[in-house]
Amino acid sequence: MDGAPLEAGQTSSMYSTMMRDSAMGLPWWSSTGIFLCTGLDRSSSSLFFPTVSCSISCSTPFSFSATTTRFTKGLAQPPTTRTAAGSPELSADCSHRNGLYIYVLASEFLPKEESIEQKRSQKLQSLRDVCEEHSIAMAGGGDELKLLGMWASPFALRAKLALSFKGLSYDYVEEDFKNKSDLLLSSNPVHKKVPVLIHNGKPICESQVIVQYIDEVFPDAGVTLLPADPHDRAVARFWAAYIDEKLFSAWILVFRSKTEEEKAEAVKQTFAVVEKLEGALSECSKGKPFFGGDTVGYVDVVLGGFVAWVHAIEEVFGLNQFDAAKTPLLAAWLERFDELDAVKEVMPDIGRLVELAKMRQAQAAAAAAAVAAAAAGEAN
Ligand SMILES: N[C@@H](CCC(=O)N[C@@H](CS)C(=O)NCC(=O)O)C(=O)O
């Protein structure tokens, strides 16, 4: 590839590493599951795969993307293939919508969901190397996004959701809280917490700040999260702050409750907050499916970060917070939100969260028992 702009309908075979799903003996395009699509494109705005609703960020002159895409239904026939320079290697279909093209140069079936993030990072790195080698300008003048997170963190999930809804590629670094990286400690010296987004070497901390930053800096990518109207924007920020202040603290009470009375009080507080959020959804959505209206917006992302834990809490504590009988709008919202491909792509495994929650509960119970035993020993 010589770095000259690709023409519509033309692709490069540079990264044609399509693999067969050997386990099933099927060609990749007829499989179902997660695919990693990587490529360079030349477009001027976001577009969507026709078969899946996964947005990919595109900016001029070139951007690269590595996005995971869930094919819930394998394709019935191979996608159109176009090759450059008569190469026998093929590229996946070029989606074409509204006159824009995307060149997906490689689609690789990922049989193991856990490997997605590492795989995505590796592919991005190889694309970056290729861009450097061929002097190809990268999206937004070489935007480099790195996210420091932890798989179970609802706050890190917010940042992942925002990046996913925007279709932005990023490197992901999983942090170990027992041994935080120097990068985390130097990037967020005040709180030393995740998430931290590092954009072209500059760190941005606090999940809500990160989501707003992403929306501001990449206005043309994917969906717009913050409302255009200043009053609507203020209302969205108000409810986002309410979620962190009230819902999260009610959950902490649920987790820390030691007696049935304490748990009942914590559950009561949780439902009171959720009831207010039902009103918020009605106010922000104006009768549409999401807080953001027809598409997800800022409050959807902020509350969306908590969705994995809503499911885990239901399994661990038997607490169905978004109950269709009590809060029908939120119950329907949750179902809708869970079904979005951009959400599925980044959602942690609920079973793993349940295990973590049970382990933390057992640790807290053991610590409380040790304190009680020590107090009893002192009294004797
Ligand atoms: N207000 C912060 C909260 C971030 C937060 O609490 N992160 C937790 C993970 S869920 C963390 O990094 N904990 C590490 C620690 O406390 O050492 C935000 O919205 O980003």
Side-chain angles (χ1 to χ4, degrees):
M1 185 170 201
D2 58 6
L6 293 173
E7 293 305 320
Q10 179 198 357
T11 63
S12 161
S13 60
M14 186 161 37
Y15 265 81
S16 304
T17 55
M18 268 181 228
M19 287 173 25
R20 284 175 165 263
D21 173 14
S22 53
M24 295 164 75
L26 294 170
W28 73 271
W29 47 265
S30 71
S31 306
T32 58
I34 302 281
F35 285 79
L36 180 72
C37 303
T38 51
L40 297 171
D41 58 65
R42 185 174 80 95
S43 311
S44 55
S45 67
S46 314
L47 51 106
F48 290 82
F49 273 95
T51 47
V52 290
S53 57
C54 177
S55 68
I56 308 235
S57 75
C58 310
S59 24
T60 50
F62 274 98
S63 66
F64 55 76
S65 48
T67 179
T68 48
T69 296
R70 187 181 292 271
F71 281 62
T72 49
K73 197 161 171 264
L75 304 178
Q77 53 187 33
T80 325
T81 57
R82 299 181 178 93
T83 59
S87 163
E89 302 270 76
L90 65 154
S91 298
D93 186 29
C94 305
S95 333
H96 176 202
R97 196 174 253 225
N98 302 330
L100 301 172
Y101 284 84
I102 178 156
Y103 301 86
V104 180
L105 302 186
S107 292
E108 195 171 324
F109 184 55
L110 299 173
K112 287 206 189 96
E113 298 208 5
E114 315 91 76
S115 66
I116 287 173
E117 265 163 0
Q118 283 95 324
K119 202 78 180 169
R120 191 205 308 247
S121 293
Q122 284 168 10
K123 286 282 171 184
L124 274 174
Q125 191 50 51
S126 49
L127 278 172
R128 224 171 253 138
D129 293 347
V130 167
C131 285
E132 262 171 36
E133 197 184 312
H134 294 273
S135 316
I136 296 170
M138 294 187 287
D143 281 305
E144 278 216 17
L145 290 167
K146 184 176 279 188
L147 180 68
L148 313 186
M150 185 272 187
W151 71 272
S153 165
F155 303 103
L157 181 57
R158 270 181 195 162
K160 290 180 190 174
L161 282 167
L163 290 161
S164 188
F165 285 128
K166 290 277 183 189
L168 296 166
S169 317
Y170 57 100
D171 287 333
Y172 177 74
V173 180
E174 175 75 8
E175 285 290 336
D176 172 2
F177 290 161
K178 293 204 186 87
N179 184 21
K180 291 177 182 167
S181 70
D182 289 343
L183 185 59
L184 174 60
L185 298 176
S186 61
S187 304
N188 189 356
V190 175
H191 297 303
K192 304 177 177 63
K193 291 187 178 188
V194 297
V196 176
L197 179 74
I198 305 178
H199 181 208
N200 293 337
K202 290 194 216 149
I204 302 106
C205 305
E206 285 293 309
S207 60
Q208 292 203 23
V209 177
I210 291 171
V211 176
Q212 295 188 37
Y213 178 86
I214 291 170
D215 201 37
E216 242 179 84
V217 173
F218 302 98
D220 298 329
V223 290
T224 300
L225 298 173
L226 280 152
D229 175 77
H231 184 258
D232 290 348
R233 209 157 55 233
V235 170
R237 286 185 173 129
F238 171 87
W239 285 116
Y242 179 85
I243 289 165
D244 273 5
E245 203 185 310
K246 301 291 185 186
L247 187 61
F248 194 61
S249 54
W251 283 4
I252 300 285
L253 293 180
V254 173
F255 272 93
R256 291 191 182 152
S257 59
K258 289 189 278 305
T259 63
E260 281 307 309
E261 291 74 34
E262 280 178 10
K263 185 179 164 194
E265 179 52 34
V267 167
K268 198 171 132 199
Q269 281 198 29
T270 306
F271 277 122
V273 174
V274 172
E275 215 175 282
K276 288 269 186 287
L277 288 178
E278 178 84 348
L281 177 52
S282 166
E283 179 185 9
C284 297
S285 70
K286 303 183 176 119
K288 300 206 164 136
F290 295 105
F291 284 89
D294 286 318
T295 53
V296 291
Y298 184 56
V299 184
D300 296 282
V301 172
V302 169
L303 186 59
F306 285 1
V307 152
W309 278 103
V310 167
H311 293 302
I313 287 173
E314 181 169 1
E315 281 200 36
V316 177
F317 298 97
L319 174 59
N320 177 14
Q321 299 173 60
F322 293 2
D323 184 346
K326 295 191 177 94
T327 49
L329 295 180
L330 272 177
W333 174 86
L334 183 62
E335 267 185 36
R336 229 176 269 129
F337 191 80
D338 276 340
E339 279 312 304
L340 299 172
D341 285 310
V343 172
K344 286 181 188 167
E345 257 185 42
V346 293
M347 205 45 103
D349 182 74
I350 307 298
R352 213 174 148 203
L353 283 183
V354 168
E355 288 309 308
L356 180 70
K358 285 184 179 162
M359 194 179 81
R360 293 261 165 90
Q361 263 191 316
Q363 283 168 345
V371 170
E378 268 175 30
N380 289 332

